Amino acid sequence: MKVLITGNQGYIGPVLGRHLRRVWPDAHLIGYDTGYFALSTTNAKVWPERVYNEQINGDVRELPASLLEGVDGVVQLAAISNDPMGANFAEVTDEVNHASAARTARLAAEAGVKHFVFASSCSVYGFAPGGARSEGDSLNPQTAYARSKIDTENALAEMDLKGMTTTCLRFATACGMSDRLRLDLVLNDFVASAIAAGKITVLSDGTPWRPLIDVRDMSRAIEWALTRESANGGPLLRVNVGSDQWNYQVKDLAQAVAAAVPGTSVSINTQAQPDTRSYKVDFALYRALAPDHQPQITLDHSIALLREGLEGMGFADAEFRSSPFMRLKMLQGHIEAGRLTPDLRWTEQFLESA
């Protein structure tokens, strides 16, 4: 099997690469990434991409069609990957998350690729009071990031996929330890705060609901999507990926982390304005379609792995929200240093000096 993974030098890629190499030792894995975060390794003992057969540097907006020749499966991870970045780079978010994903899928279909996997998001449900949302329920995106995911799903639905089995994995909010750790994710933020400051500050009133999934279980779902039969869910599938047991209110996540890191206090802003990003999600369809690839990492286990990883790297930065561990800060740092243009392309001056 030959698999192309775009955006593989982000948060998910190192974990996914190891997982696919473990389950398919003889697979030919190709990574394609522009390298915004390539140097942001966290507690990695070796280069994370050692498990890939090829690592290619390039902008996903300009992915060459020739790269898809002979490829069996494509995993589209490449994205401007959270709400703050989407708010600061709205146009680029659409270009990268939506337009380039649709273009890559079209090129893949024309090249005869058998499976296309799109990393979508449960954030498409946005503000969803009441019961857990399933795939057929109405969508209420609150951010440019969420809208870009819906736009891509719709573009895929309107496309002639030429028999390519296509899976839109609507992932719950990611969490867990990675060789390229992000701390702009709710559970990761709380564990980092507990370790570095002994205190978790919940900026909302703690009541919003978030479904979570560990990055290891995300990798398990991608493995499934790369091999699922078209009859199992249909040629084009949109499916929520996570576990009903992982629907948590933010305040409960904070308390779980405090219990795992002794001496941690929790402060909740009970006077905060309501957070409109609140939704519970129903994962029954994923349970039915992928019974052998269900999430295995528990909340406590994910917290323990984060704690072990952060403590192992001597993490102690109480001001980490202003550090490169936050993806937005990293991009802003590249721009301020003249390495990236405002539309997130490497500058000619930087490329010439690199």
Side-chain angles (χ1 to χ4, degrees):
M1 176 180 283
K2 190 174 184 180
V3 181
L4 170 67
I5 302 167
T6 70
N8 72 301
Q9 290 184 315
Y11 173 57
I12 300 168
V15 180
L16 175 62
R18 283 198 300 273
H19 177 80
L20 295 183
R21 179 59 66 211
R22 198 160 47 240
V23 296
W24 300 324
D26 298 324
H28 188 94
L29 304 180
I30 306 169
Y32 185 89
D33 196 292
T34 193
Y36 297 149
F37 313 112
L39 298 182
S40 302
T41 53
T42 45
N43 208 30
K45 302 298 187 290
V46 295
W47 187 49
E49 283 67 53
R50 70 196 184 284
V51 299
Y52 287 81
N53 299 88
E54 301 178 59
Q55 181 62 53
I56 301 171
N57 177 260
D59 192 315
V60 72
R61 290 170 285 189
E62 299 160 359
L63 186 143
S66 60
L67 194 57
L68 294 157
E69 294 175 5
V71 168
D72 299 294
V74 173
V75 181
Q76 185 81 2
L77 295 180
I80 306 302
S81 58
N82 67 10
D83 294 339
M85 286 196 288
N88 281 266
F89 304 104
E91 185 174 341
V92 182
T93 294
D94 181 70
E95 287 179 2
V96 173
N97 297 15
H98 164 217
S100 77
R103 175 180 176 272
T104 301
R106 188 175 297 107
L107 293 174
E110 292 171 353
V113 171
K114 299 180 181 67
H115 288 85
F116 185 84
V117 183
F118 173 58
S120 190
S121 170
C122 284
S123 67
V124 297
Y125 299 110
F127 179 60
R133 294 309 196 257
S134 59
E135 290 80 0
D137 287 330
S138 61
L139 307 178
N140 190 12
Q142 302 292 299
T143 65
Y145 171 77
R147 287 190 293 273
S148 73
K149 296 299 186 180
I150 295 171
D151 289 344
T152 304
E153 289 185 12
N154 291 339
L156 293 171
E158 295 168 1
M159 192 181 300
D160 178 6
L161 294 169
K162 303 182 184 302
M164 182 172 67
T165 300
T166 302
T167 311
C168 302
L169 300 174
R170 289 182 179 172
F171 283 118
T173 300
C175 66
M177 193 62 196
S178 165
D179 288 347
R180 287 198 176 88
L181 185 62
R182 287 174 55 189
L183 295 183
D184 49 11
L185 296 161
V186 60
L187 187 69
N188 298 6
D189 176 295
F190 288 171
V191 176
S193 294
I195 291 172
K199 179 179 181 179
I200 297 171
T201 300
V202 180
L203 301 178
S204 72
D205 66 0
T207 61
W209 287 90
R210 292 284 190 281
L212 268 67
I213 184 170
D214 191 276
V215 67
R216 289 156 184 77
D217 288 327
M218 296 174 76
S219 299
R220 190 171 290 109
I222 291 169
E223 173 208 337
W224 168 76
L226 281 168
T227 57
R228 79 172 179 90
E229 297 293 333
S230 180
N232 184 32
L236 174 66
L237 173 66
R238 310 184 200 206
V239 59
N240 300 332
V241 178
S243 169
D244 291 339
Q245 288 70 40
W246 273 69
N247 278 304
Y248 287 99
Q249 285 184 291
V250 172
K251 61 183 179 181
D252 295 329
L253 294 174
Q255 294 295 345
V257 172
V261 184
T264 301
S265 63
V266 176
S267 172
I268 297 177
N269 185 5
T270 57
Q271 304 303 312
Q273 292 295 314
D275 187 340
T276 57
R277 297 167 302 162
S278 179
Y279 48 91
K280 288 188 285 186
V281 177
D282 185 320
F283 299 101
L285 179 60
Y286 182 57
R287 282 200 307 277
L289 296 177
D292 297 330
H293 291 80
Q294 291 299 292
Q296 298 178 2
I297 306 296
T298 66
L299 176 62
D300 288 344
H301 190 192
S302 192
I303 293 170
L305 290 172
L306 281 163
R307 181 182 179 184
E308 177 185 341
L310 286 165
E311 290 180 342
M313 57 187 277
F315 181 79
D317 183 6
E319 304 299 322
F320 67 86
R321 292 192 184 98
S322 298
S323 77
F325 286 112
M326 313 298 283
R327 290 298 195 243
L328 176 58
K329 296 296 183 182
M330 174 67 82
L331 292 181
Q332 289 173 333
H334 283 319
I335 292 172
E336 291 167 4
R339 293 186 289 267
L340 283 178
T341 63
D343 65 348
L344 302 187
R345 297 180 188 275
W346 296 111
T347 62
E348 291 184 12
Q349 178 183 357
F350 171 68
L351 291 173
E352 290 172 357
S353 63

